[in-house]
Amino acid sequence: MSTSEPSDSVIAMLIDGEDDQEVHELQTDARTPIPKQRREISPSLSSNYGGDGDEGRRKKVLALSDTEGLFCPICMEAWESQGDHQVSCLPCGHVYGLSCIRRWIQQHGGIVAKCPQCNSKYNLKDIIKLFGSPIVVLDESLLKKVRSYEAEVASLKTERASLLAIQDDLFRVQENLFKELTNREEKLSCRGDAASGEKGMERRQSKQWDHHSAHNFLREGILHCKFQLECELAVEGARLFDMDASSQTLVLARRISGLGGTHMLKKVNLISPQQSEDIQLPPGTKPIKDLHISPCGRFTLLASLGKKLSFLSLGSNSFVITYDLPGPAWSCSWDLHKPHCIYTGLQDGLLLMFDMRFSKIPLLSLAGLTSRPIHTIHSLVQNRAFSHTSHKLLTASSSGPCVWNMGSAGPAGERPFLIPGLEDQGVCTSVAYSPSTDNIVASYHPKTDTSARPSGSQVLIKRVDDCFYHKIGSVPVQLNDFQLRKSAIVDIPDCYPLFAYGEELTRGLWLRELPSLKVSQNLEPHQHSILDVKYARSQDKGLLGCLSEDKLQLFSAATKGVFIL
């Protein structure tokens, strides 16, 4: 058996008991040759739909959060007062762009179709063009200002990440210098004070105090963050969740045992957490393996073992789009830079990219390094300091975190690479990523259990540029069982970043400061193991949430300028 791949027995332990029949394909021989890269781009897409330079239609994109009621619900772009994308409506009253609703008919039978929002039947002759005044027309000068501000914000984020990286390097250099100085002085002290052990001890204690004093002096001005419990909710059969602090919405996936193992969603209003709504899943969806609320807070993306990638509107609690996939889906993600692009990772290691404006078939279909399930996907922030056009994805399977090139700086979909230095860490069970600092924390389980309490590890990696990733440090962790559990990185301005995860032995939510990886807080334990951890922040508030199968906890942050002694 290859030493770089986990054993079949370990892979089998990744599977929840309820999902055995759905994911039995996981138990494949680790010696199976790595599949060749597959890249499938639909030839019809380039002919039926224009790109950014299409002369037949000028596409103007606004941020979704700024276009409430001003954009087409199908393509999520602003409609126009005339032309191919003229604002139009159906007899039911729902409004769309003309070209989008015509294309909807062609994709759903060609003659009679249903309204995407209320399922009322209609055909081409029922489409009504609207000529009302005023029609919202995009302000080119305002759009240019928005794009300028976006570029400035991205530049400032890059600058902040670079400064944090420099700070981390300075801390490491400082630590090494102090260690070297202390070692040399201890040797001299032992030689000169061999007969007076008491004086030598006092001198060493004095040097140690000076070390911490200087260390804390350099850290002055950076705050330490503590979390306190704000809300606790009882839930039944919870599996995973996501939340949006701006829209004050939380969505969680559940499995109700009393209904024969029915899978469903629950939407919670964070302003009044007792107010919740149950949402039925489409037939054949099966267990949800991953879900993410969109950056604008209006939609939720869901990946399921029923070979479905679903697009839920949080306004109407209805499923707008459902993609049929070639295999069970284990993960999904929104694109940080293109709100119309989404990704999903399949059980056989395949990565699919969809463009919601165009078609119900994937725009890209790419093979990973192994045939193991892709259990995590993160869209990496574009690092403008090193590349203006590259777009990277971070994914994780049991083999570890991989980086994909999805941009125009190189061949889109070129073969991914495993982050160097992490080849023999064990079985990767979780990867957390922070877009604001480019910190990555990967959690590992040993490939084989040789003791009653196996020891895993958590590894901190700093993304330096598009191709270079620096391993900063790692810490051992005691494990209780073998499951995929999600973790998160907490970034609060002017505070040390934190890594939040469910500690398996105590079943509590633990926080580690970065880059030291020292435990800074151990929050209230649960009766069952913590399955999912998320952090969400708006302009005025940050929330840290953790979920076990019977309880959801939400914590708020408080900062204070104390020093670690």
Side-chain angles (χ1 to χ4, degrees):
M1 179 176 295
S2 171
T3 59
S4 62
E5 288 289 341
S7 64
D8 295 340
S9 60
V10 172
I11 292 298
M13 297 173 69
L14 281 170
I15 308 171
D16 298 334
E18 66 184 20
D19 304 334
D20 288 344
Q21 294 183 355
E22 311 299 335
V23 294
H24 66 274
E25 296 89 344
L26 277 174
Q27 302 178 17
T28 56
D29 196 315
R31 293 170 294 182
T32 303
I34 296 176
K36 294 184 179 180
Q37 179 184 3
R38 299 191 297 271
R39 180 186 179 196
E40 302 172 3
I41 304 180
S42 172
S44 62
L45 295 181
S46 59
S47 59
N48 294 340
Y49 304 97
D52 292 338
D54 189 352
E55 296 181 358
R57 169 180 165 197
R58 298 181 61 192
K59 293 185 177 180
K60 306 176 179 69
V61 180
L62 285 177
L64 289 180
S65 59
D66 298 330
T67 57
E68 180 70 31
L70 307 181
F71 64 91
C72 171
I74 296 179
C75 69
M76 283 168 285
E77 293 189 8
W79 42 48
E80 300 168 356
S81 59
Q82 58 185 351
D84 292 341
H85 203 237
Q86 180 175 344
V87 57
S88 305
C89 75
L90 300 177
C92 60
H94 290 114
V95 182
Y96 306 95
L98 180 60
S99 58
C100 291
I101 199 61
R102 283 178 173 172
R103 185 163 61 246
W104 182 271
I105 294 180
Q106 296 172 356
Q107 293 180 347
H108 294 79
I111 300 176
V112 178
K114 294 181 179 180
C115 173
Q117 299 186 60
C118 67
N119 291 331
S120 299
K121 294 184 178 181
Y122 70 97
N123 52 40
L124 279 174
K125 66 181 181 62
D126 295 326
I127 299 175
I128 304 171
K129 294 182 180 180
L130 299 181
F131 301 92
S133 180
I135 294 295
V136 175
V137 180
L138 294 177
D139 188 334
E140 290 287 353
S141 61
L142 181 60
L143 186 59
K144 290 180 180 178
K145 289 182 180 179
V146 171
R147 289 173 176 170
S148 175
Y149 291 149
E150 289 176 346
E152 184 177 353
V153 169
S155 178
L156 291 174
K157 287 183 178 180
T158 300
E159 183 178 356
R160 179 176 182 270
S162 300
L163 291 175
L164 287 173
I166 293 173
Q167 171 190 279
D168 294 342
D169 292 337
L170 290 176
F171 283 156
R172 286 194 297 272
V173 172
Q174 171 197 328
E175 293 284 356
N176 293 334
L177 289 175
F178 274 125
K179 288 180 182 178
E180 184 177 352
L181 179 61
T182 302
N183 291 335
R184 290 185 180 183
E185 291 185 350
E186 285 182 350
K187 290 179 181 179
L188 293 176
S189 177
C190 290
R191 293 176 184 176
D193 298 317
S196 55
E198 184 176 351
K199 291 183 179 180
M201 179 63 68
E202 292 177 354
R203 187 174 302 163
R204 284 191 292 274
Q205 291 176 349
S206 175
K207 296 301 180 184
Q208 187 176 12
W209 185 89
D210 291 341
H211 159 76
H212 288 296
S213 299
H215 183 72
N216 292 332
F217 177 78
L218 290 179
R219 289 190 171 194
E220 186 175 1
I222 302 179
L223 302 178
H224 298 269
C225 179
K226 297 293 182 181
F227 281 86
Q228 56 192 11
L229 183 64
E230 184 171 293
C231 176
E232 184 173 291
L233 298 176
V235 293
E236 178 188 354
R239 289 295 181 266
L240 67 160
F241 77 106
D242 196 12
M243 58 185 175
D244 181 77
S246 299
S247 62
Q248 295 291 294
T249 302
L250 182 147
V251 179
L252 61 88
R254 307 167 61 201
R255 181 177 185 267
I256 310 302
S257 57
L259 300 176
T262 300
H263 297 273
M264 62 189 308
L265 301 177
K266 178 180 284 293
K267 186 173 75 170
V268 179
N269 185 338
L270 295 178
I271 299 177
S272 301
Q274 300 304 326
Q275 297 180 6
S276 62
E277 301 175 76
D278 289 330
I279 302 174
Q280 297 292 331
L281 294 171
T285 301
K286 296 186 180 179
I288 301 295
K289 295 297 290 184
D290 200 8
L291 67 85
H292 293 282
I293 297 178
S294 64
C296 68
R298 295 165 52 91
F299 309 100
T300 299
L301 188 65
L302 304 103
S304 75
L305 294 181
K307 301 181 181 181
K308 304 288 185 183
L309 181 65
S310 304
F311 187 74
L312 173 70
S313 170
L314 294 178
S316 61
N317 292 346
S318 61
F319 287 88
V320 180
I321 302 175
T322 298
Y323 297 102
D324 293 321
L325 307 176
W330 279 59
S331 57
C332 59
S333 175
W334 300 89
D335 193 302
L336 287 178
H337 313 284
K338 300 177 181 179
H340 48 78
C341 287
I342 54 178
Y343 305 92
T344 184
L346 303 189
Q347 180 176 293
D348 59 359
L350 202 66
L351 177 68
L352 304 182
M353 171 183 173
F354 291 88
D355 189 325
M356 296 184 296
R357 302 171 300 176
F358 294 154
S359 174
K360 299 192 70 173
I361 63 174
L363 192 65
L364 286 176
S365 177
L366 310 170
L369 294 178
T370 72
S371 58
R372 308 297 183 185
I374 297 177
H375 59 69
T376 305
I377 302 177
H378 293 289
S379 176
L380 296 178
V381 67
Q382 287 185 358
N383 196 330
R384 298 179 183 273
F386 302 101
S387 174
H388 295 280
T389 55
S390 64
H391 177 205
K392 306 291 183 179
L393 278 187
L394 176 68
T395 69
S397 64
S398 59
S399 302
C402 291
V403 180
W404 304 65
N405 178 26
M406 309 296 292
S408 57
E414 66 184 15
R415 195 160 187 75
F417 64 88
L418 190 69
I419 292 181
L422 304 180
E423 294 84 356
D424 299 317
Q425 295 290 327
V427 179
C428 181
T429 58
S430 173
V431 170
Y433 168 68
S434 167
S436 58
T437 60
D438 268 337
N439 282 326
I440 301 169
V441 178
S443 301
Y444 290 89
H445 192 287
K447 295 178 181 178
T448 56
D449 296 341
T450 57
S451 62
R453 286 188 175 181
S455 178
S457 62
Q458 294 169 343
V459 184
L460 173 62
I461 306 108
K462 169 72 74 172
R463 180 189 177 213
V464 180
D465 59 31
D466 284 344
C467 298
F468 182 67
Y469 295 78
H470 177 61
K471 179 181 176 182
I472 295 179
S474 64
V475 290
V477 290
Q478 292 297 319
L479 304 175
N480 193 34
D481 53 19
F482 199 118
Q483 286 190 21
L484 294 175
R485 294 191 175 94
K486 299 184 182 297
S487 54
I489 294 179
V490 178
D491 276 324
I492 299 177
D494 302 321
C495 295
Y496 285 99
L498 297 170
F499 172 61
Y501 69 102
E503 208 278 331
E504 295 187 18
L505 295 180
T506 65
R507 296 174 179 172
L509 180 63
W510 282 32
L511 301 174
R512 293 184 181 271
E513 273 194 356
L514 304 179
S516 66
L517 288 171
K518 294 180 180 178
V519 176
S520 64
Q521 196 171 2
N522 182 2
L523 298 171
E524 180 182 351
H526 289 224
Q527 182 179 358
H528 301 281
S529 297
I530 293 176
L531 302 175
D532 197 0
V533 179
K534 290 290 192 306
Y535 176 72
R537 182 171 180 81
S538 62
Q539 293 182 351
D540 56 349
K541 189 175 183 180
L543 285 176
L544 176 63
C546 66
L547 181 73
S548 60
E549 65 179 68
D550 65 345
K551 184 166 62 175
L552 170 68
Q553 290 179 323
L554 298 176
F555 299 87
S556 59
T559 57
K560 55 183 180 179
V562 298
F563 298 129
I564 299 177
L565 296 177

